[in-house]
Each structure stands twice: as C-alpha cells, then as structure tokens.
Amino acid sequence: MLGKGMTAVGLLLISNIFMTCAWYLHLKLQTLRVINFSAWPIYMVVLFSWGIALLEYSFMVPANRIGYIGNGGPFTLVQLKIIQECVTLTVFSVFSILVFQNRFGWNHLAAFV
C-alpha cells in the first residue's frame, strides 16, 4: 500500500514540474531572449505549452489511477486532489525562487496556511 502511495505522489511531483513549466517557462525564456517568444503569435506559444502539458498528463493520469483507492491505491479522490494542490504550491514556490529569483516571504507562508 505504501508503495502505491509513494509512486502516486512521485508521479504527481513530476507532473506538476511539467505543468509549471508549461504555464510559466515561456515567460522566463522570453526574458532570457533564448528564443524570441515576443515575436511568436499567441497560438504558437499555446502549442509550445501544450507540448509540455502533454508530458504533464502522461504522469498525472497514471498517478491518479495508481493512487486512487478504487484501483487499489491508498487515497480517496479528495485526498488525491489535496495532495496534488499541495505539490503544485510547493513546485511553484521552488520554481519561482529558482527560475524567477522571487523572494519567499512570510506572506507566502501565510498563504500556504
């Protein structure tokens, strides 16, 4: 039982890393001028992000199937969603600190609570 739970959480972590990149990486790449995203039409940026999001779904769907109690996993649907949201907040916080050099303050901690 613990194995399926840890597998589900690990897959949720990987999934959220890809999702955060799909949503925000183009903003950072634009500022680095690695690729001139400013010149791309919005539909191209969306397609770029969807390509990354496809990887996210490749981990999210198995995580939910493995972790769901109805499939022999340890978590209810609500528990899976809460875990996913906690992972999302954690991944985004680390991403914003490492990639965008945002400072993490007491108000961010208060928002977590």
Side-chain angles (χ1 to χ4, degrees), residues 1 3 6 10 19 21 32 38 46 48 56 64-65 73 75 77 79 82-83 86 90 94-95 97 101-102 107 109 113:
M1 197 71 84
M6 292 304 290
M19 196 73 234
C21 288
L32 294 176
S38 299
V46 169
F48 172 81
E56 184 262 343
N64 286 317
R65 289 191 68 131
F75 304 120
L77 181 66
Q79 289 171 325
I82 291 169
I83 292 167
C86 292
T90 303
V94 171
F95 182 86
I97 291 167
Q101 287 82 42
N102 288 332
N107 55 332
L109 185 59
V113 174

Side-chain angles (χ1 to χ4, degrees), residues 24-38 95 98-101:
Y24 303 108
L25 186 61
H26 63 93
L27 298 174
K28 184 60 176 184
L29 293 176
Q30 184 175 336
T31 64
L32 294 176
R33 303 191 198 287
V34 174
I35 299 172
N36 188 6
F37 278 104
S38 299
F95 182 86
L98 294 178
V99 176
F100 284 91
Q101 287 82 42

